[in-house]
Amino acid sequence: MGVAGEPISPVRSRERFLLGEPVESGVRSPILHSWERCRLLGLSPDQTELPYRDDFDPDSRLVRAAEPVLDQLAARFAGSRMNVSLADAAGTVLQRRFGEPGLARSLPPIQTVPGFVFAERFAGTNGIGLALAERRLVQVYGAEHFAERSQSNACCAAPVRNQLNGLVEGVLCFGYPRSDEDPELTALIRRAAHAVERRLTEQTSLRERALLRSYLDARARAHVDGRPAGADGAFPHAVPHPAAEPPGALLDPRDESVLKERAAELISSTQRAAVEVILLHGRRATLLSRPVTSGTGIEGIAVEAVLTDGEPPARHAMALSTVGAAPAATPAPPAAAAPPAPHPPPGPLAAPAAGRNGAGPDRDHPGGASPRLVLVGEPEVGRYALAARRRLELLAEAGTRIGTTLDVHRTARELAEAAVPGLADYVTVDIPEAVLRGEEPSDAPGTVRRTVVHGIRDDHPFRPEGSPVELRPGTPHLRCLADGKPVVEPDLAAGGWLARGPDRAAAVGGHPVHSLVAAPLIARGGLLGVAAFYRSEDPAPFADDDAWLARELCARAALCMDNARQYTREHTLALALQRSLLPHRLPDQGAVEVAHRYLPAESGVGGDWFDVIPLSGTRVALLVGDVVGHGLHAAATMGRLRTAARNFAELELAPDELLTHLDNLLVRLDREEGGESDTGSTGIVGATCLYVIYDPTTRECTMARAGHLPPAVVRPDGSVDFPELPAGPPLGLGGLPFETAGIDLPEGSTLVLYTDGLVEDRHRDIDAALEDLRRALAHPGRTPEDTCRSVIDAVAPEHPEDDIALLAARIHTLPAERIAAWDVPADPACVGEIRAAATRTLAAWGLEEPAFAVELLLSELVTNAVRYGGEPIQVRMIHDRTLICEVSDGSSTAPHLRRAAGTDEGGRGLFLVAQVSQAWGTRYTPRGKVIWAECALDAA
């Protein structure tokens, strides 16, 4: 808002604005917003004519409340160049006081008398119009005025509210030369506006006290002469004056609260009624509402309570709290002024209980009971009290409805559902794309995403969900984001932005909106979006109390949305980390045809993984595993284990040996982390793993598991079984052995490996889930991709609580005609025979080009086996994607590649093998070792 003495230089900024240049950095936000609205309204800076109205009430409640305050201000500013104006909620000036009478002569004649309109849509940026638009205290200096006629003036204006309903009744404005600025003016105008507000409240109290006096006088007259009620409002029954009420048992305070709430509803309905109310302990009461008129013609409603539980009435005399009325016919003291929102405004006056006729029971009420006055008041005030209570009830209910999930979109919808229809007819929620992705919110979002549209009708006039929305300057949406406070537009027809905004269809059609509250979604200093509350069928415009409620709803929703956003960000980061640690693409190999699925858990990221690792001799390793727990720690541990498993697999370890190495690694990692870490983790909890090696040359499948579920084997005929494998302990226990089992698989069989998230669910038995898996797999001829799809559709939980990793591998067998093998005696003379046999085989395969390289490889490898190895010695050639040469012997001594010195007679054989092959290595067998080398089929 700025303060007195703030260095503001709006002259240049105003010139730039009128030329269409950006001026965001040089103008206060309320002034800039007002300029933008003036431009949307088509106003001209040199416009001089102001409209004049003669249909205002010169003796309105606002004028009567403000006149003494205006007189005091006139006396205070006597002799100064100050002028004080009072305007109504439409901007029409009702009263004006001048410090110097001569000041009036410097104004246009039309502005010296009440009736001219200074609303923003007519006069541009000025104190009265801006205070009505911003609904708070404002100050406008010199060139900040949009109209040129006001450039030499300054003004300070404050809204005047009705403390009962929160509505802005008018504006109090000080106008003065810029040179007469005084820092005390803001405090003075606040006190003056509050004084007018108090006097408005006192007027309401006086009216209700007059109603209460008329009610008590009518009952007193009925007691004196016993005559029936007539035009004076007397009641037909005879009851003593309340002062004569005999003492009796007090009514339970909770019963009093129930009766008062129902009485406020009856007063707001403005009709005669009789309503039965259920009290505590099975007791009942009947509430009777009756019209009552004061001597000055004020019409209201009195609500009486009659206990109908059959017990003597005197035992249930109600001692209701007295608010604004004394237990006598004398006038009651004024009611305490109601505090401003968020506290609810006071309701109708509560009165003391009326006594029982000592001569006999009341003939006009059930059971002869006497009525007790509960509340008396005007219907309009009753409606305000009822609306305030309902707003508080809506806020309490919203506390349980908003934020049930960690989902930004769902939380936004819960906000809209909580506000319709209690607060608004339609609600739109617009959120930046960054927030929806879980990223940090921007300070000034330009384009947002229409996240939610919800209302009383499905054929709403707003832009649909999912569409981009541009927040244009001057709209309430952008104003509330700039100021961080709700913006109320009681009358959308008075502004020009709706027809130019993104929801322009809301201004026309069969159900146009007429009132708006735009509230920012702010949490922890971050701007998460904007919620717009519209009214269409509800004729009442939005007021400040509604803005307070919208702000509270949005504050609660924004906090839940920020929690959801942070969860989304953490979940996205963890999921990205996990996916980066999983295989991006499966390697090319001919042993198996593979498809896979990975489904993260809904509640967090787990540590499931899978892998496909090509091995030497056309073999392939299949791997699935599951780290216990969820979160970044589990994902990081999974990455460690997967990397280690690939490294151990490169060493050509058997499945049981590989699991032993993984177990030792996990124990060591747990020991190194030392229990509780800085990140809050409690060390490595454990993991399960299933490791399978398949050899397409022999159709042998060797596998071992560490606490993991066994694989499923789908035979070519569609039969499914789960092989009995030694269970093995989970990884991380340390010191326990693992066992290997082997099975032969026919061509066309499918191996299905999976983690426990697929079949373990707290809502179903695991045996039933495994049976579902068996039925889903029992279909011959399926591709691995079809297998994965059918398993996920039929077996996976709808809302997985744990990660799911699924790997389907249909095996292939290498034809026998593409494998050649020779047994070699331990005689160096046989090396030439092996070279010749290999050359003939290559010619039969049509692979003459790599023959020279193969001869060189076999010469070196067979020679080393004969010279340094042990029997039996065998040579095998495999024609697959590459040409593989293997030489096995009975020795476990591994060759070592080294660079031979110039004087060395040996040590160059393996170096030559490495040069002419694209890969080579050693693997150990139960009877020795195998040295292998792969040669590209296009090798020369």
Side-chain angles (χ1 to χ4, degrees):
M1 295 302 302
V3 295
E6 183 179 1
I8 300 175
S9 302
V11 177
R12 177 58 182 157
S13 297
R14 181 173 175 275
E15 292 176 356
R16 293 176 55 193
F17 176 82
L18 295 177
L19 293 174
E21 300 178 7
V23 294
E24 286 78 359
S25 60
V27 184
R28 295 180 294 145
S29 60
I31 302 299
L32 179 59
H33 294 160
S34 179
W35 288 357
E36 291 168 344
R37 291 194 298 271
C38 293
R39 182 161 56 186
L40 288 175
L41 290 167
L43 298 181
S44 173
D46 57 0
Q47 181 178 347
T48 58
E49 295 297 328
L50 292 177
Y52 178 80
R53 295 179 52 188
D54 57 5
D55 58 347
F56 65 92
D57 184 2
D59 192 35
S60 64
R61 295 175 60 249
L62 177 62
V63 172
R64 293 198 305 272
E67 276 186 333
V69 179
L70 294 175
D71 292 340
Q72 294 178 16
L73 291 173
R76 179 187 180 100
F77 293 126
S80 70
R81 293 182 292 177
M82 178 73 68
N83 71 86
V84 182
S85 300
L86 175 71
D88 62 14
T92 303
V93 174
L94 305 177
Q95 290 279 311
R96 200 157 195 183
R97 302 287 194 276
F98 296 96
E100 292 182 359
L103 289 176
R105 292 191 294 271
S106 63
L107 297 174
I110 195 174
Q111 296 185 22
T112 61
V113 294
F116 67 92
V117 182
F118 247 112
E120 190 180 63
R121 65 180 182 272
F122 300 120
T125 307
N126 68 90
I128 293 175
L130 190 57
L132 289 173
E134 296 290 329
R135 307 176 73 81
R136 52 177 167 161
L137 189 147
V138 297
Q139 292 172 284
V140 184
Y141 305 102
E144 290 182 334
H145 291 86
F146 188 78
E148 293 179 356
R149 62 171 176 269
S150 304
Q151 298 292 299
S152 60
N153 298 327
C155 55
C156 179
V160 176
R161 289 181 172 84
N162 186 320
Q163 293 184 336
L164 286 178
N165 54 30
L167 293 174
V168 174
E169 297 275 354
V171 174
L172 191 63
C173 181
F174 293 169
Y176 49 90
R178 180 68 176 89
S179 57
D180 290 357
E181 175 65 41
D182 189 336
E184 297 296 327
L185 287 179
T186 56
L188 177 61
I189 199 169
R190 280 196 181 96
R191 292 197 301 270
H194 291 166
V196 177
E197 291 172 351
R198 285 195 301 271
R199 291 182 57 82
L200 282 171
T201 304
E202 290 172 1
Q203 288 182 12
T204 302
S205 300
L206 290 172
R207 293 166 66 90
E208 291 200 336
R209 288 208 307 274
L211 289 173
L212 180 60
R213 173 186 286 276
S214 298
Y215 172 86
L216 296 176
D217 289 345
R219 296 181 70 87
R221 289 195 299 272
H223 173 64
V224 171
D225 54 21
R227 54 192 173 91
D232 58 359
F235 295 97
H237 48 274
V239 292
H241 192 277
E245 173 68 34
L250 296 178
L251 192 67
D252 189 283
R254 289 170 293 182
D255 286 342
E256 293 183 22
S257 177
V258 171
L259 290 175
K260 288 181 179 181
E261 289 180 6
R262 297 303 303 273
E265 295 177 3
L266 291 176
I267 290 177
S268 64
S269 67
T270 72
Q271 297 177 350
R272 283 180 175 268
V275 178
E276 187 175 55
V277 181
I278 306 299
L279 304 178
L280 296 175
H281 311 300
R283 301 174 63 190
R284 298 172 182 268
T286 300
L287 287 180
L288 305 174
S289 62
R290 304 174 181 272
V292 59
T293 304
S294 71
T296 58
I298 300 173
E299 297 180 352
I301 300 292
V303 180
E304 303 167 323
V306 180
L307 294 174
T308 58
D309 55 3
E311 298 186 22
R315 296 180 57 189
H316 305 288
M318 291 183 290
L320 298 182
S321 60
T322 302
V323 180
T330 56
H343 303 291
L349 299 180
R356 176 177 179 268
N357 185 359
D362 188 340
R363 294 184 297 273
D364 293 338
H365 295 85
S370 297
R372 278 85 174 167
L373 180 63
V374 179
L375 291 177
V376 61
E378 293 183 86
E380 194 68 22
V381 179
R383 278 192 285 270
Y384 295 152
L386 190 61
R389 179 163 57 84
R390 287 175 177 170
R391 281 193 291 266
L392 293 177
E393 291 173 352
L394 189 151
L395 190 60
E397 181 183 0
T400 62
R401 295 180 59 182
I402 299 176
T404 59
T405 64
L406 286 173
D407 181 81
V408 175
H409 186 278
R410 181 59 199 162
T411 303
R413 180 160 297 278
E414 289 169 347
L415 166 64
E417 291 174 348
V420 175
L423 174 62
D425 295 327
Y426 297 97
V427 176
T428 64
V429 182
D430 302 324
I431 300 176
E433 289 280 6
V435 175
L436 293 174
R437 293 192 299 265
E439 301 172 6
E440 291 294 331
S442 172
D443 293 336
T447 300
V448 294
R449 182 69 57 181
R450 175 59 51 83
T451 307
V452 171
V453 181
H454 182 67
I456 56 177
R457 293 171 55 170
D458 294 334
D459 57 334
H460 57 77
F462 302 95
R463 298 192 66 171
E465 293 182 5
S467 60
V469 175
E470 182 181 358
L471 301 181
R472 298 184 177 181
T475 61
H477 304 71
L478 197 59
R479 288 162 53 198
C480 78
L481 293 179
D483 296 341
K485 298 178 181 179
V487 172
V488 181
E489 290 286 348
D491 184 7
L492 294 179
W497 64 267
L498 186 59
R500 300 174 175 86
D503 292 309
R504 59 180 63 90
V508 296
H511 44 283
V513 297
H514 62 79
S515 187
L516 161 70
V517 172
L521 295 166
I522 300 176
R524 302 182 178 96
L527 195 58
L528 306 179
V530 58
F533 303 83
Y534 295 91
R535 280 183 178 169
S536 172
E537 298 188 5
D538 187 346
F542 283 115
D544 285 352
D545 284 347
D546 299 310
W548 168 83
L549 178 58
R551 182 187 64 187
E552 291 298 313
L553 291 176
C554 289
R556 298 188 182 199
L559 186 61
C560 296
M561 290 170 60
D562 193 54
N563 291 337
R565 179 194 63 79
Q566 294 188 42
Y567 169 79
T568 301
R569 181 187 61 185
E570 297 297 332
H571 183 74
T572 302
L573 290 175
L575 191 60
L577 171 63
Q578 186 184 43
R579 291 192 181 279
S580 69
L581 298 174
L582 292 172
H584 292 177
R585 58 182 299 272
L586 297 180
D588 294 331
Q589 43 78 39
V592 293
E593 179 185 353
V594 181
H596 61 88
R597 292 290 188 277
Y598 179 80
L599 275 69
E602 287 190 350
S603 58
V605 174
D608 292 17
W609 86 94
F610 64 91
D611 212 343
V612 178
I613 308 172
L615 302 177
S616 64
T618 70
R619 299 173 308 143
V620 66
L622 306 175
L623 176 69
V624 292
D626 182 8
V627 175
V628 177
H630 291 83
L632 288 174
H633 187 64
T637 302
M638 176 271 288
R640 291 177 173 180
L641 287 178
R642 177 174 175 260
T643 302
R646 292 189 68 89
N647 292 333
F648 293 147
E650 292 289 338
L651 298 176
E652 303 281 1
L653 298 177
D656 56 339
E657 295 180 32
L658 183 139
L659 292 182
T660 299
H661 282 282
L662 289 180
D663 182 48
N664 293 335
L665 172 65
L666 208 57
V667 171
R668 184 168 63 254
L669 290 176
D670 188 36
R671 187 183 303 117
E672 289 174 357
E673 291 196 2
E676 188 81 20
S677 68
D678 295 338
T679 59
S681 65
T682 56
I684 307 297
V685 178
T688 65
C689 185
L690 172 63
Y691 187 70
V692 178
I693 295 178
Y694 171 67
D695 189 344
T697 64
T698 62
R699 295 186 290 104
E700 183 181 11
C701 188
T702 307
M703 59 189 76
R705 61 182 178 133
H708 203 87
L709 293 168
V713 177
V714 185
R715 306 286 176 174
D717 60 358
S719 61
V720 181
D721 64 272
F722 299 91
E724 291 291 338
L725 301 180
L731 301 177
L733 297 181
L736 298 177
F738 300 95
E739 299 181 54
T740 298
I743 58 174
D744 292 333
L745 297 177
E747 170 78 19
S749 298
T750 300
L751 271 173
V752 180
L753 290 70
Y754 51 92
T755 55
D756 56 2
L758 179 68
V759 294
E760 289 187 1
D761 184 19
R762 60 182 177 180
H763 302 296
R764 60 178 176 174
D765 183 72
I766 187 172
D767 293 332
L770 289 174
E771 188 59 33
D772 293 340
L773 177 61
R774 183 192 301 274
R775 285 194 296 270
L777 293 173
H779 296 274
R782 274 182 175 169
T783 65
E785 187 66 31
D786 292 337
T787 299
C788 288
R789 185 182 302 110
S790 62
V791 168
I792 293 298
D793 293 342
V795 186
E798 184 177 356
H799 302 285
E801 300 176 357
D802 194 6
D803 289 17
I804 297 175
L806 176 65
L807 189 65
R810 185 165 64 180
I811 67 170
H812 297 297
T813 302
L814 194 66
E817 59 270 18
R818 305 187 72 170
I819 303 174
W822 302 275
D823 292 328
V824 181
D827 184 359
C830 297
V831 175
E833 299 177 4
I834 294 298
R835 288 200 304 266
T839 302
R840 289 192 298 271
T841 302
L842 291 175
W845 287 345
L847 301 176
E848 289 84 359
E849 289 188 7
F852 176 77
V854 172
E855 287 183 11
L856 182 59
L857 287 173
L858 291 179
S859 293
E860 294 297 334
L861 294 178
V862 173
T863 299
N864 283 340
V866 170
R867 181 176 299 178
Y868 304 111
E871 295 183 322
I873 302 173
Q874 187 183 56
V875 175
R876 188 172 69 160
M877 286 199 314
I878 303 172
H879 179 196
D880 192 42
R881 295 171 180 264
T882 60
L883 185 63
I884 303 172
C885 300
E886 295 182 344
V887 178
S888 63
D889 64 70
S891 171
S892 59
T893 302
H896 177 62
L897 178 65
R898 64 186 179 89
R899 183 177 296 275
T903 57
D904 291 344
E905 295 183 2
R908 295 177 177 84
L910 285 181
F911 180 78
L912 291 176
V913 170
Q915 295 302 308
V916 299
S917 65
Q918 67 179 17
W920 76 278
T922 303
R923 70 173 181 268
Y924 293 92
T925 66
R927 293 174 296 179
K929 67 178 181 296
V930 176
I931 301 177
W932 57 269
E934 291 185 4
C935 185
L937 294 180
D938 58 352

